[in-house]
Each structure stands twice: as C-alpha cells, then as structure tokens.
C-alpha cells in the first residue's frame, strides 16, 4: 500500500514521500523498512527504528515519511485493520451442525460443525456460531455476533448485536445460592432468572456469567470483559466498562458506567461501584465505592492514600525497629 | 395459583384472603400485585412493595394476605419451584451422540448431540449428559446427574448420584507435578490416580478437579463448588462444604466437613482445615487451621484479630506519622 | 513384577530379596505388602509402612527388601510408569470428526469424535486430537502432542512437538486491548499476532493463552502451566518455567528461563522477571524483578525481607498498642 493512500484512508496529513510502498504494520522497535509503525512523542524517537514510515502527532519532526494525526495510536490501530483485515467467514450451516426445527437463523449466518441450537433459539443476521457451541432453548442472539467455538449458552439467555464471546465462555449457568433446610442440609436455591448481554459487549475466553436468581444478570452495552472472569448472579454492569482478566464480581453487585478494573479485582456481594471508578489490579472491594475516583489495594482505598499505605507497608520491618528503639530510649529517659 | 393452595404446599399458615391469585415470584422491591414475595423481619416492611402476598415469619403483621412460616426465605425458595418448575428433559440418545458399544446407559438417560461416551463408561438412570460432553474410558456416573454441555471427564473418574456439573467443568485432568531429573530437566510425575465426586455435589462452570497422583482426589457428599475453582491433585474435601468462585485448593490439602470459603480463598498444599471452619473472601491459608472458627485475611487469622489487623492496616500512614512525631519528641527530651 | 527386575529397569542397586513380587505402587503410609513405595530420609522410617519394598537413598538401612538409588523420588516416579503405563491410543480419524480437505494429518494421529480441523491445519505424526477439539485455519501442531477434549486453537497458532494441552485450553483468543476513539467510545485494538507454544510444554485445564497484538505470544520449551492460568497478549515465557494454578501474566510481560511461580501469582504488564526467579504463592509483581532470587508477598519482595514484613504484619494490632503506650509515656515525661 502506498503511504499516500493510507494517509487518505486514515484522514491524516501526509509527511514526505507518498509513494513509499508499505507491506505490513509493526511495533516501533521491530519494524522493517517495509513496515508502517507509529510514535506518540519525541522521546520515543531516541530509540532506533527501521520503520519505512511512521504515524506521528502533528508537529513532531520524524525525519522520514509518515502521516500526522491527532491520535497516532488510534490511527495505527486503524492502519492494522487496513493491512490485516479480519478474515471474512463464508455464511452457511455446516452439515454437521444440529439445528432444531423451531430455531430461527437469520441471513448470512454461519453455524459451525458440531454446534447445536435447541428449540426456540433465534440467531440474528450475519452472526457467527463457532464449532461446538451449544445454545439451549429460547436463547436469542442479535445480529453480527461472533460466538467462538465451545461456548455454552444456557436456556433463555439474551445476547444483543455485535457481541463477541470468545471460546469456552459460559453464559447462564446457575447462580451459586444455597440455604440450610430444617435439617441443616444444604438446599439449592432455584436459579430461575436469566442473563442479558447488551450490544457490543466482548467477553474473554473461559469467562462465566451466571443467570439471576429471579430476574436478570445484565452486562451493559459496550462493556469489555477479559478471560477467566466470574460474574455472579444478579450482577448489573453498566455500559462501557473494562474488566481485566481473573476479575470476580460477587452476587447482586452493581457496577456503574465506564468503570475500569485491572486484573483480578474482587468485588463483594451487593456492593455498588459508581460511574467512572477506576480500580487498580488486585483491588479488593468489600464495601461500596463512589464513582469518578481511582482506587487501589485491599480494602479498596483512594489511590493517593493507598500508595502511601503501600509505601509504609513495604517498610514495616524498619518501622518495627524504630518502635523498639523508641521503647529503649523512653526506658532510659524514665529511669 | 391461589394463595391458599400455596400455603398448603409450603406447609405454612394462611394469612388473610386465600383466594388471592398469584402468577409469579419476585424480590420484595420488584414484586407486582400478581407476585408472591417474602420478608424476614419487620424492618423490611418500611420499604414499599406491591407484592400481592408475602411469606413472613410467624407473628409479623404484614398488612396484606400472606403465609407465615418458620423460615420465610426457605419457604420462598420452595415457592419459586412451584411457580417456575425446573424444565424436564425428554430422555433419549441424540442421533448425533457417539456411544461406545461397551458403554452402559441406564433408563431415562438423555445424551445430547455431539456428546461422546468411550468404552466402559456407565451412566446411571435418569441422568442428563449435555451436548458436547466427552466422557473417557471407564468413567462411572450415578443416577439423576446433570452434566451440562462441554464438560470433560477423563478416564476412570467416578461420579455419584444427583451430581450437577455445570458447563465446561473438567474432572480428572493430570495433577500438576514435576521433578527435576539427573540433568536438571523437568520430568513429568505420572498422575495415575483418579477423582471421586460423591453424591449431591454441584460444581460450577469451568471449574477444574485434578486426578490424584497415586490414589484419589475426593469431593464429599453434598459439597457445592462455584465457577472457576481449582481443586488440585490428592485434595480431600469433606461433606457439605461451600466453596465460592475462584477458590484454589493446592495439592494434598484436606478440607473437613461443612467448611465454607468465600470467593478466591487460597489454600496451600498439604494444609488441613478442620470441620466447620468459615473463611472470608480472599483469605490465604499457608498453614493448617482448626475447625469451628471464622478466619479472614492473609495469613489466615481468626476473624476478631484479623479485623483488628485490617483496621490498623487501613491507618498505616497515620501510624507512620505518629512514629515520626514520637521520634521528634524523644529527640527534644533527650537534648 | 519382581523387585530384581525393577531394580534393573531403574538402574538402582537391589537390597535384599530380589524375588519379592510387587503388584502396584503406593504412598509410604498407604502401601500394602504387595506395593512398592519410597523413602527419602531416615526420619520417614519412624512412621509405619506395610510396603513390600522401598526405594531408598544409598546407605539408608530400611529393614526390608528394596532398591537404593541416588534420587528415590525420581526413581519412584519412573517405577509408577512401570506399574501403570500410560494408556496407548489407537490411531485413526473418528468417523464423526470433521477434517478440511486441505488439512494435513501425519501418520499415527488420532482425531476424536466431533473434533474439527479447518483448512490449512497441519498435525504432526503420532499426535492425539481429542473429542470436540476445534482447530481453526492454518494452525500447525507438531508430532507426539496430546490435545485433550474441547480445547480450542484459534487461527495461525503454532504448537511444537510433545505438547500437552489439557481439556478446555484456549490458545489464540484475542488479546484484551481497547482504545478510546474520538467520541470517547471504546475501539477494539485489532489483535492480529499469533501464539507460539514450543516443544514439551504442558498447559492445564481451562487455561487461556491470548494471541499477540502484532507479533507473537510465546511459551518457551519445556514450560509447564497449571489449570486456569491466564497468559495475556505479547507475553514471552522462557524455557523450563513452572506456573502453578490461577497465575495471571499481564500483557507484554517477559518471564525468563526456569522461573517458578506458586499459585495465583500476578504479574503486571510489561514487567520483566529474570531467569531462575522463584515466586511464592500469591506474590504480586508490579515491577520488574531480578533473576536468581526468591520473592514473596505484594509488592513482590525478596523472601527474607518479605517474611519479616509478614511477621510484623501479623502483629500489627500489638504494634498499635505499643505506639499508644509510647505516646502515653512521652506525654507523662513531657509534663
């Protein structure tokens, strides 16, 4: 691809020779003269790169051909799509799929080998249902979804449009609820609610989203969830949240809009987290948190205080020695 | 359903008009006049509910029709089953299942599409084997089990009766054991034992239970395990335990009867935990713990002491300032 | 098997009667007179064992027939393989497998029921592809691999030889990368790289290894990974590492050779960990660590200091009381 054409497609401003012919994209340090890469600041330019061209912020002198844009990282992400367009699938129902007579499958849908759609299932147009995906009764899936192999959707789950479920995701398994009966034996609390996953959600491999006890577990539009994440029954997650890998959200927790969680954050049951809160990796949340703030550590604490706490924590043995010394000195003064 | 009939079925005492016609169950705040709900104490009644009828403790004045019982929450759980009975499955072997000639399948069993049963497998009467479940040689499954889609049972695993395995559960994968050989290379320790899962156990989606090195990994009768839980080789878990999501139990640990673990508890290898111990979420257990007590934090500490520790931990920066101040004062006194 | 023959096969020295006939292996305490077991030191001999024979270190007086070797535990592991040899599989493509016409399958390969191989897939000689495994386009798998049921390999993944993937492993799902666009909406960063898993790697059940953003995620030769582990995009793991269950490695982290991680270790993105580092269970690694050392706790700290820190942490409430007492005494001295 010619640099001039890429500049055009990205809506950026051409720098230097537009006839540079590029064949691929690469990270700055790893790029060859045939690669397009990007920089975000002058500092990066101190490191060498063989990149044939760079996407760069407006006004940055890059000493080679390139494209200037307002947000080079975003522009580069779009350039990746130009050089490495997502594979298109061939619509059609594989001869080895098992589709109930009462399932409704839209136009342009792919259903892979050994996938099964039970009675009453609806799959919207243009959706991809991978090999070995099992969809139980009355599940509704919107259009343009991509359900990777070996996902399992329990009965009555509702999935919006353009949802991506990576391999091994389980949606709608029973919530974890038990109650002792009169004899002290464990009685399984019926889990009869459902799960609603709104449009544009993406869920990572082997994550699990449990069905509600009575009503619904809901994942808001645009929310992105990483691998091996657990979302318990009755949880509500707002729109445009980001939950990194191994996060666990306990039952009936309510997460606002635009909340970000680093890896392995844990949220206790019934906790509410306000819009726009940001939680660092491994933050533990026993109680509700206000939105719009950054938190860290366990129990979750605003980041400034949490960092001070961690700094003291690091030096705890020294602190113990200082207390020993204080006691020695006081003893001397007292005698 | 008429309230009087429900009262009868639950063995409770009718309050007010038995002819109230109810159509569903709902949580107290979300209930409509057509819904049955419940309260556990007078305090809850300060909040408004449109519920047409309430299950309530004996003697509580609820100001509307209802049912009084000793344990309203338990009674309500039973009422949920009346209004929303579990779906019954149609027994039969799907035409797309693959069943070894030497597998024995009991009466009333369902085997879903693309499930496979290898040689020597036995499935007891009335059990459900979901789509895409793969059961390797000589696995024995009791009666009335429900194995959800895409579970994998390795060879020689033994499953009791009325066991529920949610989608994606893996039982019997090799335990994680290696030993350096003479050249310092990693030698795989053979994992030749098995797994026994006793009656009435339930295991959540995508959890993993490893086979033993030599003998057996065992999950006791009635124990309930949530999603994404790891049970390592040689672990023994007693009866009626409750393990919440993302718990990890390391090799050869022994967990007593009736032990409860909150989310993401971690137990080190060879640790023993006594009967009836209760471990709060994220408790880390490096050493054995006595039964009958509540624990929290890492390293696991009895709850009263753990809470005091956490309280001090929260205020660590203030403590550091107090020490600074003490040193300043002492310096002054000394000079 | 006769003890003399076992001694021969293990390359050890026979102790006592070589005609002892053994039928199985067992742990020291659980062994019967028909079992072979082992001891590593004289201390163990204070406990009773009915074992018919023992593998023991050279020079240890065991008071019964046995075999002396330099490394009894390693010798015993090899003896396990003699008594309980791994099941051999019958090569062949199951009639219910779905194999693309352009897939290449080597000699002696087994492909199970309901497994699918997409176009361009290559599977090396002697490999085992379990039931329900789905392998997308252009994946290359070496020889002698064992891919357990319901694994999913996304397009372009490369797997070496003698690799073991336990059930439910997902290799090559999209890395977790998003970037806000001009309107503040979440834009999915294309994940167009691949995954390379080198020879002799073993990966535990339901673990997930994400594909790289641009280039590759790589797991080094001989590395062993336990169940429910998350390896994010662009991560590089060296040779002969050991990662226990529930470990999480964030994006672009670089782990050296021979690194050992206990259960649930968490590593932040872009962190580098040097060769031979050993991290105790639940260690949290926010910053790069030098190799050759042992670390514990969060933030990761060299083990000696970490243990002192944990000791102080345990006694934090007592420390708070000592500070109260110091303040009281100082107040008294000042007045």
């Amino acid at each position: 691809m010619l640099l001039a054409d890429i500049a055009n497609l990205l809506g950026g401003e051409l720098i230097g020779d537009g006839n540079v012919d590029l064949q691929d994209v690469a990270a700055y340090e790893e790029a060859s003269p045939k690669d397009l890469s990007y920089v975000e600041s002058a500092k990066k330019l101190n490191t060498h790169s063989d990149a044939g061209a760079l996407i760069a912020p407006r006004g940055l002198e890059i000493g080679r051909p390139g494209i200037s844009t307002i947000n080079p990282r975003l522009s580069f992400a779009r350039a990746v799509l130009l050089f490495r367009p997502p594979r298109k699938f061939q619509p059609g129902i594989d001869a080895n799929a098992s589709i109930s007579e009462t399932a409704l499958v839209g136009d342009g849908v792919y259903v892979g080998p050994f996938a099964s759609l039970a009675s009453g299932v609806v799959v919207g147009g243009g959706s991809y249902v991978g090999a070995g995906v099992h969809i139980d009764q009355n599940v509704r899936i919107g259009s343009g979804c991509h359900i990777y192999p070996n996902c399992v959707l329990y009965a009555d789950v509702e999935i919006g449009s353009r949802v991506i479920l990576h391999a091994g995701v389980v949606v709608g398994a029973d919530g974890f609820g038990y109650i002792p009966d009169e004899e002290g034996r464990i009685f399984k609390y019926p889990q009869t609610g459902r799960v609603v996953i709104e449009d544009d959600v993406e869920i990572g491999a082997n994550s699990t989203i449990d069905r509600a006890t009575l009503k619904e577990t809901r994942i808001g539009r645009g929310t992105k969830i990483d691998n091996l994440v657990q979302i318990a029954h009755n949880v509500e997650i707002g729109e445009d949240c980001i939950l990194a890998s191994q996060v666990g959200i306990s039952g009936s927790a309510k997460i606002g809009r635009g909340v970000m969680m680093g890896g392995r954050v844990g949220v206790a049951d019934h906790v509410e987290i306000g819009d726009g809160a940001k939680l660092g990796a491994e933050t533990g949340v026993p109680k509700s948190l206000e939105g719009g703030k950054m938190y860290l550590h366990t129990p979750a604490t605003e980041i400034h205080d949490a960092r001070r706490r961690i700094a003291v924590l690091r030096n705890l043995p020294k602190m113990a020695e200082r207390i020993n010394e204080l006691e020695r000195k006081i003893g001397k003064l007292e005698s």
Side-chain angles (χ1 to χ4, degrees), chain A:
Chain A
M1 289 180 86
L2 296 186
L3 184 60
D5 296 337
I6 301 167
N8 239 330
L9 287 162
L10 297 180
E13 198 177 328
L14 180 68
I15 307 169
D17 179 8
N19 288 318
V20 176
D21 188 13
L22 299 162
Q23 291 173 5
D24 199 3
V25 283
Y28 183 83
E29 291 84 355
E30 293 164 348
S32 81
K34 290 293 182 191
D35 291 328
L36 174 67
S37 192
Y38 77 105
V39 285
E40 292 189 281
S41 68
K43 196 184 154 199
K44 187 82 173 183
L45 294 169
N46 296 334
T47 315
H48 177 75
S49 172
D50 285 329
L54 289 173
I55 305 176
R58 301 230 159 120
L60 183 66
E61 179 54 61
I62 53 170
R64 76 187 87 189
I67 301 166
S68 76
T69 73
I70 295 168
N71 186 339
R73 200 168 153 243
L74 177 61
S75 302
F76 181 72
R78 287 175 172 146
V80 174
L81 290 176
L82 297 177
F83 282 95
R84 306 180 178 187
R87 226 174 233 134
K88 289 224 171 65
F89 61 85
Q90 189 67 32
I93 311 291
D94 192 280
N96 285 313
S98 166
I99 317 272
S100 160
E101 285 176 18
T102 63
L104 287 175
V105 176
D107 288 343
V109 165
Y110 170 82
V111 181
F114 317 124
S116 71
L117 279 59
S119 60
V121 168
V122 178
V123 179
S127 284
Y128 178 102
V129 177
V133 169
H134 300 300
I135 307 183
D136 207 346
Q137 292 171 44
N138 304 323
V139 169
R140 301 177 69 88
I141 297 175
S143 58
C145 289
H146 200 113
I147 316 292
Y148 280 93
N150 285 352
C151 288
V152 176
L153 310 186
Y154 280 53
D156 305 318
V157 161
E158 187 177 325
I159 308 272
S161 290
R162 298 172 305 281
V163 167
I164 301 170
L165 302 184
H166 283 284
V169 165
V170 177
V171 183
D174 286 356
F176 194 66
Y178 303 93
I179 175 172
D181 73 7
E182 294 86 349
E183 278 87 41
R185 283 250 173 159
I186 298 174
F187 180 82
K188 177 174 167 66
Y189 209 100
Q191 304 291 320
T192 61
R194 57 181 196 144
V195 178
V196 179
I197 294 181
E198 297 182 3
D199 295 345
D200 300 303
V201 166
E202 180 164 3
I203 300 179
N206 286 345
S207 286
T208 57
I209 321 284
D210 279 354
R211 71 193 312 106
T213 310
L214 293 171
K215 213 180 163 199
E216 68 187 31
T217 303
R218 181 174 285 265
I219 313 291
R221 185 201 49 72
T223 283
K224 313 299 186 189
I225 294 176
D226 201 352
N227 300 345
L228 294 171
V229 168
Q230 151 74 353
I231 309 290
H233 54 179
N234 313 321
V235 166
E236 291 176 35
I237 298 185
E239 302 186 352
D240 291 324
C241 293
I242 304 251
L243 276 61
S245 179
Q246 296 181 327
V247 159
I249 312 288
S250 304
S252 304
K254 280 191 191 177
I255 315 298
R257 294 172 57 115
V259 171
M260 298 181 68
M261 298 189 188
R264 210 177 283 162
V265 165
V267 177
D269 57 291
H270 292 87
V271 158
E272 299 193 18
I273 297 184
D275 295 350
K278 289 186 167 62
L279 286 71
E282 306 213 344
T283 299
V285 188
K287 289 190 182 163
S288 294
L289 296 177
E290 269 182 64
K293 293 177 177 170
M294 295 178 68
Y295 300 91
L296 205 63
H297 216 230
T298 301
T301 302
E302 276 196 66
I303 193 152
H304 179 72
D305 288 343
R307 287 205 172 127
R308 285 178 60 211
R309 186 200 295 160
I310 294 165
V312 178
L313 197 63
R314 257 181 210 278
N315 290 305
L316 224 41
K318 197 163 286 174
M319 187 186 270
E321 283 164 23
R322 286 165 67 196
I323 292 172
N324 291 344
E325 177 69 9
L326 281 166
E327 286 175 339
R328 208 187 47 78
K329 284 184 178 173
I330 290 250
K332 224 167 151 187
L333 285 169
E334 284 179 331
S335 64

